Amino acid sequence: MMSVSVRALLVRGMLAGLAAGVLALITAYLLGEPHVDSAIAFEEAHSHDHGGGGEELVSRTMQATGGLATGILVYGVALGGIAALAFCVALGRVGRFGPRATAALLALGAFTAVFLVPFVKYPANPPAVGDPDTLDQRTALFFLMIALSVLLVIGAVILGKRLAPRLGNWNATVAAGAALAVAIGLAYAFLPAGDNVPEGFPATLLWEFRLSALAVQLVLWTGFGLVFGELAERLVVPKAARERQPDAAVTPAA
């Protein structure tokens, strides 16, 4: 394999994150924003009933356009860079996978560890859901769950690799997966709940909002895995080797 610098992969990871962020932005705007508008309407009606409400510091139009775009694109670029660094560590060390397969597995693992596992315990909520007085606590719990999830997934991968020589790849993977499921279950059981839906909030709206949040993350990580896999493949594997074997196994990046 040709020598590949971490910097080159990092740049491609950030570009792939930007491209994936554009796809996620379109998804969020088309699927998520209508539900946000409905939730805001519920919140305003609820606050008016109690004489509440306050001055809007940022217009809703700006939130749904410039604010949404900035947040998702910056998020995509940042996660793309971090994922590219993880790709440098994983390439050639987690099995005989080529760059595209490694990128796909990395994207799947990141989606599961960074979003899906925390999401099951602390699902995304639209405006008007959750007590404002507990916002800091709920935010801290969510990031704690992300940290635990990432550490547990990394631990499961390490456990599987250590068990493989004795149990074989399949049995080691099953054992590591079972240990991961038990550990995540314990985390779910012992961490406090953070979901308090106000009385009268439409259950269908809450469900659809959470589905749209799931769709945004799924599009983001799927797009990143596909785009970065292609960019990394072109960088890591010479053209002649790609023509002979499209997803040839490679050795670790320099």
Side-chain angles (χ1 to χ4, degrees):
M1 185 200 73
M2 59 182 292
S3 177
V4 180
S5 70
V6 173
R7 179 180 179 182
L9 286 170
L10 176 61
V11 171
R12 282 159 177 77
M14 295 174 71
L15 291 174
L18 179 61
V22 172
L23 296 176
L25 173 61
I26 296 172
T27 305
Y29 186 79
L30 295 178
L31 298 183
E33 286 305 306
H35 302 316
V36 173
D37 289 335
S38 299
I40 290 175
F42 174 89
E43 184 179 33
E44 290 177 346
H46 185 75
S47 64
H48 290 163
D49 290 341
H50 295 80
E55 182 179 357
E56 188 178 56
L57 299 179
V58 180
S59 69
R60 175 65 190 134
T61 301
M62 178 58 68
Q63 293 174 13
T65 53
L68 180 67
T70 300
I72 292 183
L73 294 180
V74 171
Y75 179 78
V77 171
L79 286 187
I82 295 172
L85 296 178
F87 175 87
C88 294
V89 176
L91 184 61
R93 295 184 176 93
V94 294
R96 296 185 60 81
F97 299 110
R100 282 183 293 188
T102 301
L105 290 173
L106 177 66
L108 176 62
F111 169 76
T112 302
V114 176
F115 176 76
L116 186 59
V117 172
F119 178 82
V120 172
K121 177 63 177 178
Y122 301 114
N125 288 329
V129 174
D131 185 356
D133 295 334
T134 64
L135 177 61
D136 292 341
Q137 178 187 8
R138 287 184 284 118
T139 302
L141 288 172
F142 179 74
F143 282 104
L144 174 61
M145 191 67 235
I146 291 178
L148 283 175
S149 176
V150 171
L151 291 175
L152 289 174
V153 168
I154 293 174
V157 172
I158 295 174
L159 177 62
K161 288 181 68 67
R162 292 188 176 181
L163 292 177
R166 288 183 294 174
L167 303 181
N169 290 334
W170 175 257
N171 291 332
T173 301
V174 172
L180 176 62
V182 170
I184 292 175
L186 291 174
Y188 284 171
F190 285 102
L191 286 176
D195 191 17
N196 34 7
V197 180
E199 184 178 356
F201 192 88
T204 301
L205 175 59
L206 181 62
W207 174 249
E208 290 176 348
F209 176 85
R210 290 174 174 174
L211 284 181
S212 66
L214 178 63
V216 170
Q217 291 290 327
L218 185 60
V219 168
L220 176 68
W221 285 109
T222 300
F224 173 79
L226 294 175
V227 175
F228 181 67
E230 180 64 25
L231 295 178
E233 176 86 7
R234 292 178 178 275
L235 177 67
V236 173
V237 182
K239 182 177 179 181
R242 292 200 306 270
E243 292 174 349
R244 292 195 304 270
Q245 190 173 353
D247 202 29
V250 294
T251 56

